[in-house]
Amino acid sequence: GEIALGHNATIGYYAQIRTESAVPEEKPLEGARGYAPAASKVFGVARGLSIGGYGEINYVNPIADSNSLAQTDALRLVTYLGYKFSEHIQFNSEIELEHAFVEGADDAPGEVALEFASLDFLWKPELNFRAGLLLTPMGFINEVHEPPYFYGVFRPLTERVILPATWRENGIGAFGNFGEQLEYRAYVMTGMNAEGFSSSGIRGGRQSGGESIAENFAFVGRLDFTPEVVPGLLLGGSLYAGKADQNQGLPDTRLLVLEGHAQYRNGPFQSRALFAYSDVSNAGTLSTALGKAANAGIANSMLGGYVELAYDVWPLMFGEDNERALEPFARFEYIDTQHDVAAGFVEDRNLAYSVLSTGLSYYPHPNVVLKAEYRNQNARSGKRPDEIALGLGFAY
């Protein structure tokens, strides 16, 4: 039968219906299929549109060996838009606004960028297909770079310099898993552009999917193994190989990047380790063709790695809490983009340096983080600035 409601009760009833329709019950964010937690929301909807995102704002002050000024930066505001056409066809994308402005507005340094845009065609757990603007599946950060899910105000330098996150390119490939223990991704992507390589690394060679020169292609593959016998342990590695001269009259240039990583989580304790190595063929000839100075040549090989430890002390100080966490961390890394240079060029030992990062991450909510970090940098020659930084980040 019908239920009679008073005026206030009727208003309350319909307000509740509107609220539940507009703001569905919150579900924990969990990464899936090579995407970060907030970027994976499309996999959880029954049909149609999904919206997520993340943002980060920071303050950094170089406090030693530097003439640079302190600055604040609304570094990123990102929107994920996904659409689930069916159980077997799903679209996902990331649109990013950097440094608070669009590039060119009032001579500001910002930009709007498409970080990825891909269609997934799901067939079976062992074999699915992905096409579009893809994130290169290497390391921890390139695919999972939402600020609540890495320690420190800054992303690890190894994954910005040797593995140049955020690294993406147009491509097509396959992904899947075999049981609960083995997961893979394998793509063919437009190759890098060697014109952008420098003594500081390969970062300038990213084409990022915008009118990319596609004379050369590259293969990238990744494997991750989570053994049942050691819960919380992840072991993995990835490989990138392809030509990069792009038929531009440059010497034949091939790029090989290898990366291995490990992660262990056990209750409040978390740890990570990563090592990356890159090899550029004919680096000396390429440096000459690009007019590089003798002390600014592109290296034959570059390397970097880090070890990171963190521990949640909130339960020790305040008791168990499913929402809050307080995690001091420490990360030591070493980067050398001049590991081996060609004959006739001189190594720049300022580009071989170690970084000790220590800091604290406070989570008032699992998807909101307040961060503090101190970075001590030491070069093998010359000086590199120490920095203190504060930041906030969120994902939804």
Side-chain angles (χ1 to χ4, degrees), residues 208-281:
S208 301
E211 298 184 340
S212 301
I213 302 172
E215 293 291 321
N216 299 147
F217 292 85
F219 168 81
V220 58
R222 177 191 182 109
L223 283 174
D224 285 310
F225 177 58
T226 52
E228 290 183 351
V229 293
V230 187
L233 177 65
L234 178 145
L235 302 171
S238 57
L239 174 150
Y240 175 101
K243 291 190 68 178
D245 49 274
Q246 295 293 356
N247 197 23
Q248 298 176 96
L250 299 174
D252 183 78
T253 303
R254 298 176 186 274
L255 173 65
L256 173 68
V257 184
L258 300 170
E259 172 269 322
H261 55 265
Q263 177 176 275
Y264 179 66
R265 296 179 173 178
N266 185 359
F269 175 74
Q270 300 197 44
S271 61
R272 280 180 172 178
L274 180 143
F275 176 79
Y277 172 89
S278 66
D279 180 270
V280 180
S281 68

Side-chain angles (χ1 to χ4, degrees), residues 29 43 80 127 133 151 192 205 210 234 255 271 302 313 329 341 355 379 395:
L29 296 178
F43 303 124
Y80 293 120
L127 184 60
L133 179 61
Y151 290 110
M192 287 190 118
L234 178 145
L255 173 65
S271 61
M302 313 168 198
V313 299
F329 80 94
V341 301
V355 184

Side-chain angles (χ1 to χ4, degrees), residues 338-354:
Q338 295 274 278
H339 179 64
D340 177 43
V341 301
F345 290 87
V346 180
E347 297 175 355
D348 181 351
R349 303 318 289 157
N350 188 249
L351 297 176
Y353 55 99
S354 63

Side-chain angles (χ1 to χ4, degrees), residues 72-345:
T72 60
D73 189 12
L75 181 58
R76 294 182 178 90
L77 184 63
V78 169
T79 299
Y80 293 120
L81 294 176
Y83 197 88
K84 195 169 190 176
F85 295 95
S86 70
E87 286 298 316
H88 301 288
I89 303 175
Q90 298 168 7
F91 169 77
N92 210 354
S93 67
E94 176 180 348
I95 303 168
E96 177 175 281
L97 171 64
E98 288 192 349
H99 306 296
F101 291 91
V102 176
E103 187 173 10
D106 299 323
D107 296 321
E111 66 174 6
V112 172
L114 186 62
E115 294 287 294
F116 70 80
S118 60
L119 275 170
D120 285 358
F121 300 90
L122 306 179
W123 183 28
K124 56 185 179 180
E126 298 82 8
L127 184 60
N128 307 281
F129 302 96
R130 179 170 290 162
L133 179 61
L134 311 180
L135 294 172
T136 307
M138 302 193 81
F140 289 112
I141 298 297
N142 201 59
E143 294 179 302
V144 184
H145 43 254
E146 297 164 0
Y149 312 118
F150 65 87
Y151 290 110
V153 176
F154 305 102
R155 299 170 181 179
L157 279 166
T158 301
E159 300 204 56
R160 294 173 59 196
V161 176
I162 308 301
L163 305 177
T166 302
W167 186 5
R168 73 271 195 194
E169 192 48 79
N170 297 318
I172 188 169
F175 66 95
N177 60 275
F178 297 95
E180 298 294 325
Q181 298 184 66
L182 190 63
E183 183 178 11
Y184 78 92
R185 289 181 286 288
Y187 305 152
V188 174
M189 309 175 78
T190 307
M192 287 190 118
N193 185 351
E195 276 194 343
F197 293 176
S198 71
S199 59
S200 298
I202 61 173
R203 188 176 182 86
R206 299 176 304 172
Q207 300 199 79
S208 301
E211 298 184 340
S212 301
I213 302 172
E215 293 291 321
N216 299 147
F217 292 85
F219 168 81
V220 58
R222 177 191 182 109
L223 283 174
D224 285 310
F225 177 58
T226 52
E228 290 183 351
V229 293
V230 187
L233 177 65
L234 178 145
L235 302 171
S238 57
L239 174 150
Y240 175 101
K243 291 190 68 178
D245 49 274
Q246 295 293 356
N247 197 23
Q248 298 176 96
L250 299 174
D252 183 78
T253 303
R254 298 176 186 274
L255 173 65
L256 173 68
V257 184
L258 300 170
E259 172 269 322
H261 55 265
Q263 177 176 275
Y264 179 66
R265 296 179 173 178
N266 185 359
F269 175 74
Q270 300 197 44
S271 61
R272 280 180 172 178
L274 180 143
F275 176 79
Y277 172 89
S278 66
D279 180 270
V280 180
S281 68
N282 295 319
T285 309
L286 175 64
S287 297
T288 301
L290 294 175
K292 303 291 186 183
N295 62 348
I298 301 163
N300 294 315
S301 61
M302 313 168 198
L303 57 81
Y306 67 86
V307 176
E308 177 182 271
L309 303 173
Y311 194 92
D312 181 12
V313 299
W314 186 276
L316 299 177
M317 300 173 65
F318 306 106
E320 294 292 336
D321 191 319
N322 293 328
E323 288 286 310
R324 298 176 178 85
L326 183 64
E327 301 184 2
F329 80 94
R331 179 173 62 239
F332 178 81
E333 54 186 322
Y334 180 78
I335 300 101
D336 186 355
T337 62
Q338 295 274 278
H339 179 64
D340 177 43
V341 301
F345 290 87

Side-chain angles (χ1 to χ4, degrees), residues 10-24:
T10 302
I11 293 175
Y13 173 76
Y14 286 111
Q16 180 181 354
I17 293 297
R18 287 195 299 270
T19 299
E20 290 178 351
S21 299
V23 186

